[in-house]
C-alpha cells in the first residue's frame, strides 16, 4: 500500500491534477461523476496537437 502522503508527494512532483473525495478506496463507485469529470479534464489537457503536412 502506498501512503496518502507519498501519493500526494508524487502527484505534486509530476504536476498532476488531483481531487480529494470522502470515500473508501473505491471512489469510482461511490463518486462516479467526480471521477469521470477528472478523467475528462485530464484527457482534454493532454490532447495531442494535430499537424497537417
Amino acid at each position: 500500500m502506498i501512503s496518502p502522503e507519498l501519493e500526494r508527494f508524487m502527484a505534486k512532483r509530476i504536476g498532476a491534477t488531483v481531487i480529494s473525495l470522502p470515500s473508501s478506496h473505491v471512489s469510482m463507485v461511490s463518486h462516479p461523476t467526480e471521477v469521470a469529470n477528472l478523467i475528462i479534464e485530464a484527457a482534454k489537457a493532454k490532447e495531442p496537437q494535430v499537424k497537417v503536412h
Side-chain angles (χ1 to χ4, degrees):
M1 179 178 150
I2 300 173
S3 72
E5 295 82 16
L6 180 56
E7 288 180 341
R8 284 190 281 275
F9 168 77
M10 291 188 298
K12 184 177 180 180
R13 188 172 177 189
I14 66 169
T17 299
V18 298
I19 59 173
S20 295
L21 300 169
S23 71
S24 67
H25 64 279
V26 287
S27 57
M28 68 289 288
V29 174
S30 58
H31 297 279
T33 302
E34 293 89 338
V35 173
N37 288 338
L38 178 63
I39 293 168
I40 291 166
E41 289 306 311
K44 287 179 184 176
K46 299 297 181 183
E47 200 168 286
Q49 299 297 318
V50 176
K51 293 182 180 181
V52 178
H53 297 317

